[in-house]
Amino acid sequence: MKEHIAHAIREGRKARGWTQEEMAGRIGMATQSLSNVERGQALPSLETLARIAEVLEMPISWFLPSDVKGKSEQRLALDARISTLVAALDDREAEVAAGLLAVLLRVYSRSGG
């Protein structure tokens, strides 16, 4: 779970084009502390996570994996990355992305991949 939270925060920051220093300033956190959180070396407090969610304009639940049972850390990180990318899209772009994913799933299900 720590890796999922770390990845979601890092991807959210990068999606907005912010450096760690910029984001740390926005949430009132030391840059080194944010770095530790983004590397999965520390978990943010609930209060800090709420501030992060606010500046990234995401619900706090977005940072928490909805289903971790049976998922590898790599898969959790990929899920967080995909969620971050989709969250940055407007409605039209999200609709196009959903269509592309549907096509990708059909292609893979036919090929057995």
Side-chain angles (χ1 to χ4, degrees), residues 1 3 10 25 28 32 36 43 46-48 66 78 101 108 113:
M1 180 186 303
E3 180 60 33
R10 185 174 54 250
Q32 185 59 46
N36 289 340
L43 278 172
L46 186 56
E47 182 180 320
T48 299
S66 58
L78 287 169
L101 284 172
Y108 271 94

mmCIF file of all heavy atoms in Angstrom, residues 1 3 10 25 28 32 36 43 46-48 66 78 101 108 113:
data_model
loop_
_atom_site.group_PDB
_atom_site.id
_atom_site.type_symbol
_atom_site.label_atom_id
_atom_site.label_comp_id
_atom_site.label_asym_id
_atom_site.label_seq_id
_atom_site.Cartn_x
_atom_site.Cartn_y
_atom_site.Cartn_z
ATOM 1 N N MET A 1 0.823 -1.183 0.000
ATOM 2 C CA MET A 1 0.000 0.000 0.000
ATOM 3 C C MET A 1 0.875 1.258 0.000
ATOM 4 O O MET A 1 0.534 2.234 -0.652
ATOM 5 C CB MET A 1 -0.921 0.018 1.212
ATOM 6 C CG MET A 1 -1.776 1.264 1.195
ATOM 7 S SD MET A 1 -2.823 1.583 2.602
ATOM 8 C CE MET A 1 -3.807 0.155 2.726
ATOM 9 N N GLU A 3 3.697 1.745 -1.419
ATOM 10 C CA GLU A 3 4.171 2.022 -2.781
ATOM 11 C C GLU A 3 3.055 2.633 -3.635
ATOM 12 O O GLU A 3 3.294 3.520 -4.445
ATOM 13 C CB GLU A 3 4.710 0.754 -3.422
ATOM 14 C CG GLU A 3 5.224 0.947 -4.818
ATOM 15 C CD GLU A 3 6.370 1.945 -4.934
ATOM 16 O OE1 GLU A 3 7.185 2.062 -4.017
ATOM 17 O OE2 GLU A 3 6.437 2.626 -5.985
ATOM 18 N N ARG A 10 3.456 10.891 -6.531
ATOM 19 C CA ARG A 10 4.498 11.255 -7.498
ATOM 20 C C ARG A 10 3.909 11.511 -8.876
ATOM 21 O O ARG A 10 4.220 12.509 -9.532
ATOM 22 C CB ARG A 10 5.554 10.136 -7.560
ATOM 23 C CG ARG A 10 6.745 10.434 -8.435
ATOM 24 C CD ARG A 10 7.829 9.357 -8.336
ATOM 25 N NE ARG A 10 7.341 8.010 -8.585
ATOM 26 C CZ ARG A 10 7.234 7.049 -7.656
ATOM 27 N NH1 ARG A 10 7.580 7.269 -6.406
ATOM 28 N NH2 ARG A 10 6.782 5.850 -7.981
ATOM 29 N N GLY A 25 6.196 23.105 -1.178
ATOM 30 C CA GLY A 25 5.785 24.453 -0.775
ATOM 31 C C GLY A 25 4.275 24.617 -0.748
ATOM 32 O O GLY A 25 3.726 25.271 0.145
ATOM 33 N N GLY A 28 3.059 22.744 2.376
ATOM 34 C CA GLY A 28 3.680 23.091 3.647
ATOM 35 C C GLY A 28 4.497 21.959 4.240
ATOM 36 O O GLY A 28 4.441 21.698 5.448
ATOM 37 N N GLN A 32 12.535 17.300 1.462
ATOM 38 C CA GLN A 32 13.080 15.965 1.769
ATOM 39 C C GLN A 32 11.997 15.024 2.279
ATOM 40 O O GLN A 32 11.982 13.851 1.948
ATOM 41 C CB GLN A 32 14.219 16.073 2.797
ATOM 42 C CG GLN A 32 14.905 14.743 3.072
ATOM 43 C CD GLN A 32 15.523 14.113 1.832
ATOM 44 O OE1 GLN A 32 16.194 14.778 1.061
ATOM 45 N NE2 GLN A 32 15.278 12.837 1.624
ATOM 46 N N ASN A 36 10.825 11.511 0.599
ATOM 47 C CA ASN A 36 10.705 10.243 1.327
ATOM 48 C C ASN A 36 9.351 9.585 1.094
ATOM 49 O O ASN A 36 9.267 8.369 0.923
ATOM 50 C CB ASN A 36 10.922 10.465 2.825
ATOM 51 C CG ASN A 36 12.356 10.787 3.160
ATOM 52 O OD1 ASN A 36 13.282 10.508 2.396
ATOM 53 N ND2 ASN A 36 12.559 11.410 4.316
ATOM 54 N N LEU A 43 5.183 7.173 5.132
ATOM 55 C CA LEU A 43 3.771 7.418 4.821
ATOM 56 C C LEU A 43 3.389 8.801 5.326
ATOM 57 O O LEU A 43 3.785 9.186 6.428
ATOM 58 C CB LEU A 43 2.883 6.381 5.513
ATOM 59 C CG LEU A 43 2.736 5.041 4.824
ATOM 60 C CD1 LEU A 43 1.984 4.066 5.720
ATOM 61 C CD2 LEU A 43 2.025 5.193 3.502
ATOM 62 N N LEU A 46 -2.504 11.531 7.847
ATOM 63 C CA LEU A 46 -3.804 11.735 7.213
ATOM 64 C C LEU A 46 -4.004 13.205 6.877
ATOM 65 O O LEU A 46 -4.517 13.550 5.811
ATOM 66 C CB LEU A 46 -4.921 11.227 8.114
ATOM 67 C CG LEU A 46 -6.317 11.231 7.534
ATOM 68 C CD1 LEU A 46 -6.373 10.441 6.227
ATOM 69 C CD2 LEU A 46 -7.308 10.653 8.523
ATOM 70 N N GLU A 47 -3.554 14.084 7.769
ATOM 71 C CA GLU A 47 -3.669 15.523 7.532
ATOM 72 C C GLU A 47 -2.857 15.942 6.297
ATOM 73 O O GLU A 47 -3.334 16.702 5.453
ATOM 74 C CB GLU A 47 -3.173 16.287 8.757
ATOM 75 C CG GLU A 47 -3.285 17.787 8.638
ATOM 76 C CD GLU A 47 -2.768 18.491 9.884
ATOM 77 O OE1 GLU A 47 -3.035 18.005 10.999
ATOM 78 O OE2 GLU A 47 -2.100 19.527 9.719
ATOM 79 N N THR A 48 -1.643 15.419 6.194
ATOM 80 C CA THR A 48 -0.796 15.735 5.039
ATOM 81 C C THR A 48 -1.396 15.163 3.767
ATOM 82 O O THR A 48 -1.410 15.829 2.727
ATOM 83 C CB THR A 48 0.636 15.197 5.249
ATOM 84 O OG1 THR A 48 1.187 15.825 6.413
ATOM 85 C CG2 THR A 48 1.518 15.479 4.048
ATOM 86 N N SER A 66 -8.056 0.478 -4.099
ATOM 87 C CA SER A 66 -9.401 -0.046 -3.847
ATOM 88 C C SER A 66 -9.392 -1.555 -3.683
ATOM 89 O O SER A 66 -10.215 -2.117 -2.991
ATOM 90 C CB SER A 66 -10.345 0.354 -4.979
ATOM 91 O OG SER A 66 -9.845 -0.130 -6.205
ATOM 92 N N LEU A 78 1.185 0.517 -11.339
ATOM 93 C CA LEU A 78 0.613 0.752 -12.669
ATOM 94 C C LEU A 78 -0.818 1.278 -12.567
ATOM 95 O O LEU A 78 -1.203 2.184 -13.302
ATOM 96 C CB LEU A 78 0.652 -0.524 -13.507
ATOM 97 C CG LEU A 78 2.019 -0.940 -14.017
ATOM 98 C CD1 LEU A 78 1.963 -2.348 -14.600
ATOM 99 C CD2 LEU A 78 2.532 0.046 -15.035
ATOM 100 N N LEU A 101 -8.950 1.963 -24.661
ATOM 101 C CA LEU A 101 -8.757 0.816 -23.770
ATOM 102 C C LEU A 101 -9.682 -0.336 -24.141
ATOM 103 O O LEU A 101 -9.276 -1.500 -24.090
ATOM 104 C CB LEU A 101 -8.979 1.229 -22.313
ATOM 105 C CG LEU A 101 -7.846 2.012 -21.672
ATOM 106 C CD1 LEU A 101 -8.269 2.539 -20.304
ATOM 107 C CD2 LEU A 101 -6.594 1.169 -21.554
ATOM 108 N N TYR A 108 -6.444 -7.871 -27.302
ATOM 109 C CA TYR A 108 -5.742 -8.833 -26.448
ATOM 110 C C TYR A 108 -6.573 -10.068 -26.165
ATOM 111 O O TYR A 108 -6.043 -11.171 -26.063
ATOM 112 C CB TYR A 108 -5.293 -8.176 -25.137
ATOM 113 C CG TYR A 108 -3.922 -7.556 -25.261
ATOM 114 C CD1 TYR A 108 -3.776 -6.222 -25.584
ATOM 115 C CD2 TYR A 108 -2.789 -8.328 -25.069
ATOM 116 C CE1 TYR A 108 -2.535 -5.657 -25.706
ATOM 117 C CE2 TYR A 108 -1.530 -7.776 -25.188
ATOM 118 C CZ TYR A 108 -1.397 -6.430 -25.518
ATOM 119 O OH TYR A 108 -0.168 -5.881 -25.646
ATOM 120 N N GLY A 113 -3.516 -12.653 -25.571
ATOM 121 C CA GLY A 113 -2.408 -11.966 -24.909
ATOM 122 C C GLY A 113 -2.785 -11.369 -23.657
ATOM 123 O O GLY A 113 -2.235 -11.176 -22.685
#
